[in-house]
Amino acid sequence: MNFYNENRYKAMKKTLETMYIPEPSAEEPIEIDENALFTFAAWGDPQIFHGTETRIRNFAAACKDIANMRGRLDAIAILGDVAEMGAECEYKIAAELLNSVSDKFGDFLCVTGNHDIRRRNYARQRGVFRDFVLSVKGGIFENHSGGYYFSKDYPRCRFILMGSDTNSFEGTYINSAQRKWLEKEITEAEKQGKTAFVLNHQTLKWTNGLPVTWGGNGKWRGSIGIQSDKIREIFERHNNVVFITGHLHYGFSIYNFEDCGCFKALSVPTVGVVNHGSVSDDSQGYIVSLYEDKIVIRARLHAEGKWLDKKLPGAYIECKINK
Ligand SMILES: [Fe+2]
């Protein structure tokens, strides 16, 4: 398949222009708490695909909800698997939808998922992904040792974006250079009293409901993979990490947030594909706000334009920041 296929792009574009897209309610818009130090949307797995309408519809509905919001997010973070086939035509649709609401967010932070990198030559696909990120207004991408990983510093927090160092069909391979870099980035942020939001596509083994949240299969499937323990060791040497991931396509539940003591693990449902579990609504996402002494994480049903009922598991998470 070509990286960029004009006919597929045109077909998706026509779908987008003619299909029914849910109209999120404007009665309960996302609002920015002015006391928050930093607020961002965390979305998992749009997985835009030229072969199905539903993912385009779901992602477009989420963007509509962002369009209705009051105020402006500091950032939108996507936790990988932007494009099902890693094809340019799919990225182009995703970028157009994000750019249609670019006045509603500052930076665009995005890590690669297995779908983004698994089908083609690593170096070439890195270029395709970089071009996508930079085509979104506010897109951040830094060249770092030929890999996908880099960080972005803010006054009260640091985002650390991890990315596989090789093609991987389902997991992530984090080489020793990246692990060393990861440790350095977290250490620096910790010394500066900053929360380290570490973004990666897959969570850790035995975390966020694995293996249940990956259909109960195997000891590592659904996680980073064989290097999961090495990454956990790094997090456990510090006190300031909030590890944010996607990949599981598991709806709001008891599994989204896990307090692992010295670090926290937040698994985000999919904004594009079908969510598993008892809350299976389309277009799910989290709105995360950092405060002086805590982090507040709210579950958003974007297609409906509503917050998930606060009484339900995973709907409203408040955790103290480790000092
Ligand atoms: Fe994935």
Side-chain angles (χ1 to χ4, degrees), residues 45 47 81 113-115 201-202 214 247 249:
D45 308 70
Q47 264 175 254
D81 281 359
N114 53 313
H115 279 271
H201 185 54
Q202 298 93 342
W214 195 258
H247 188 57
H249 300 189

mmCIF file of all heavy atoms in Angstrom, residues 45 47 81 113-115 201-202 214 247 249, ligand 1:
data_model
loop_
_atom_site.group_PDB
_atom_site.id
_atom_site.type_symbol
_atom_site.label_atom_id
_atom_site.label_comp_id
_atom_site.label_asym_id
_atom_site.label_seq_id
_atom_site.Cartn_x
_atom_site.Cartn_y
_atom_site.Cartn_z
ATOM 1 N N ASP A 45 -5.823 6.091 21.150
ATOM 2 C CA ASP A 45 -6.173 5.260 19.999
ATOM 3 C C ASP A 45 -7.305 5.762 19.091
ATOM 4 O O ASP A 45 -8.338 5.092 18.979
ATOM 5 C CB ASP A 45 -6.552 3.860 20.505
ATOM 6 C CG ASP A 45 -5.504 3.259 21.413
ATOM 7 O OD1 ASP A 45 -5.359 3.754 22.545
ATOM 8 O OD2 ASP A 45 -4.829 2.318 20.990
ATOM 9 N N GLN A 47 -7.100 5.587 15.931
ATOM 10 C CA GLN A 47 -7.010 4.513 14.923
ATOM 11 C C GLN A 47 -7.841 4.808 13.672
ATOM 12 O O GLN A 47 -8.625 3.974 13.189
ATOM 13 C CB GLN A 47 -7.389 3.160 15.538
ATOM 14 C CG GLN A 47 -6.137 2.397 15.980
ATOM 15 C CD GLN A 47 -6.391 1.105 16.711
ATOM 16 O OE1 GLN A 47 -6.214 1.068 17.919
ATOM 17 N NE2 GLN A 47 -6.775 0.058 16.004
ATOM 18 N N ASP A 81 -1.403 5.091 18.400
ATOM 19 C CA ASP A 81 -2.357 4.479 17.468
ATOM 20 C C ASP A 81 -3.300 5.540 16.887
ATOM 21 O O ASP A 81 -4.524 5.429 16.952
ATOM 22 C CB ASP A 81 -3.156 3.342 18.132
ATOM 23 C CG ASP A 81 -2.359 2.047 18.220
ATOM 24 O OD1 ASP A 81 -1.199 2.026 17.753
ATOM 25 O OD2 ASP A 81 -2.885 1.052 18.754
ATOM 26 N N GLY A 113 1.987 4.575 18.583
ATOM 27 C CA GLY A 113 1.471 3.280 19.030
ATOM 28 C C GLY A 113 1.938 2.205 18.068
ATOM 29 O O GLY A 113 2.543 2.505 17.026
ATOM 30 N N ASN A 114 1.647 0.978 18.404
ATOM 31 C CA ASN A 114 2.094 -0.121 17.535
ATOM 32 C C ASN A 114 1.521 -0.013 16.126
ATOM 33 O O ASN A 114 2.188 -0.335 15.144
ATOM 34 C CB ASN A 114 1.768 -1.477 18.170
ATOM 35 C CG ASN A 114 0.326 -1.625 18.579
ATOM 36 O OD1 ASN A 114 -0.252 -0.738 19.217
ATOM 37 N ND2 ASN A 114 -0.281 -2.744 18.233
ATOM 38 N N HIS A 115 0.282 0.497 16.018
ATOM 39 C CA HIS A 115 -0.292 0.644 14.672
ATOM 40 C C HIS A 115 0.432 1.709 13.857
ATOM 41 O O HIS A 115 0.464 1.639 12.633
ATOM 42 C CB HIS A 115 -1.783 0.993 14.758
ATOM 43 C CG HIS A 115 -2.647 -0.202 14.993
ATOM 44 N ND1 HIS A 115 -3.174 -0.960 13.978
ATOM 45 C CD2 HIS A 115 -3.052 -0.796 16.148
ATOM 46 C CE1 HIS A 115 -3.878 -1.952 14.485
ATOM 47 N NE2 HIS A 115 -3.820 -1.882 15.810
ATOM 48 N N HIS A 201 2.514 4.347 24.747
ATOM 49 C CA HIS A 201 1.296 3.701 24.238
ATOM 50 C C HIS A 201 0.808 2.584 25.164
ATOM 51 O O HIS A 201 -0.371 2.506 25.493
ATOM 52 C CB HIS A 201 1.555 3.161 22.829
ATOM 53 C CG HIS A 201 0.343 2.588 22.180
ATOM 54 N ND1 HIS A 201 -0.830 3.291 22.044
ATOM 55 C CD2 HIS A 201 0.102 1.359 21.636
ATOM 56 C CE1 HIS A 201 -1.737 2.533 21.444
ATOM 57 N NE2 HIS A 201 -1.206 1.352 21.198
ATOM 58 N N GLN A 202 1.716 1.712 25.583
ATOM 59 C CA GLN A 202 1.311 0.555 26.390
ATOM 60 C C GLN A 202 1.669 0.747 27.867
ATOM 61 O O GLN A 202 2.705 1.314 28.196
ATOM 62 C CB GLN A 202 2.000 -0.730 25.897
ATOM 63 C CG GLN A 202 1.664 -1.114 24.476
ATOM 64 C CD GLN A 202 2.662 -0.557 23.468
ATOM 65 O OE1 GLN A 202 3.405 0.369 23.770
ATOM 66 N NE2 GLN A 202 2.672 -1.131 22.274
ATOM 67 N N TRP A 214 -6.858 -7.039 28.692
ATOM 68 C CA TRP A 214 -6.428 -7.451 27.343
ATOM 69 C C TRP A 214 -6.985 -8.858 27.065
ATOM 70 O O TRP A 214 -6.310 -9.726 26.535
ATOM 71 C CB TRP A 214 -4.900 -7.413 27.210
ATOM 72 C CG TRP A 214 -4.420 -7.482 25.793
ATOM 73 C CD1 TRP A 214 -3.900 -8.579 25.153
ATOM 74 C CD2 TRP A 214 -4.386 -6.435 24.808
ATOM 75 N NE1 TRP A 214 -3.565 -8.275 23.852
ATOM 76 C CE2 TRP A 214 -3.851 -6.961 23.613
ATOM 77 C CE3 TRP A 214 -4.773 -5.084 24.828
ATOM 78 C CZ2 TRP A 214 -3.684 -6.198 22.447
ATOM 79 C CZ3 TRP A 214 -4.597 -4.329 23.680
ATOM 80 C CH2 TRP A 214 -4.059 -4.888 22.512
ATOM 81 N N HIS A 247 -3.931 2.010 24.308
ATOM 82 C CA HIS A 247 -3.757 0.658 23.773
ATOM 83 C C HIS A 247 -4.797 -0.374 24.184
ATOM 84 O O HIS A 247 -5.103 -1.283 23.422
ATOM 85 C CB HIS A 247 -2.354 0.140 24.140
ATOM 86 C CG HIS A 247 -1.967 -1.149 23.498
ATOM 87 N ND1 HIS A 247 -1.953 -1.338 22.121
ATOM 88 C CD2 HIS A 247 -1.563 -2.344 24.025
ATOM 89 C CE1 HIS A 247 -1.545 -2.577 21.848
ATOM 90 N NE2 HIS A 247 -1.319 -3.211 22.983
ATOM 91 N N HIS A 249 -8.074 -0.100 24.896
ATOM 92 C CA HIS A 249 -9.458 0.055 24.404
ATOM 93 C C HIS A 249 -10.451 -0.419 25.461
ATOM 94 O O HIS A 249 -11.422 -1.111 25.163
ATOM 95 C CB HIS A 249 -9.702 -0.759 23.109
ATOM 96 C CG HIS A 249 -8.826 -0.395 21.966
ATOM 97 N ND1 HIS A 249 -9.015 -0.880 20.688
ATOM 98 C CD2 HIS A 249 -7.738 0.410 21.890
ATOM 99 C CE1 HIS A 249 -8.082 -0.403 19.877
ATOM 100 N NE2 HIS A 249 -7.295 0.375 20.587
HETATM 101 FE FE FE B 1 -2.210 -0.310 20.236
#
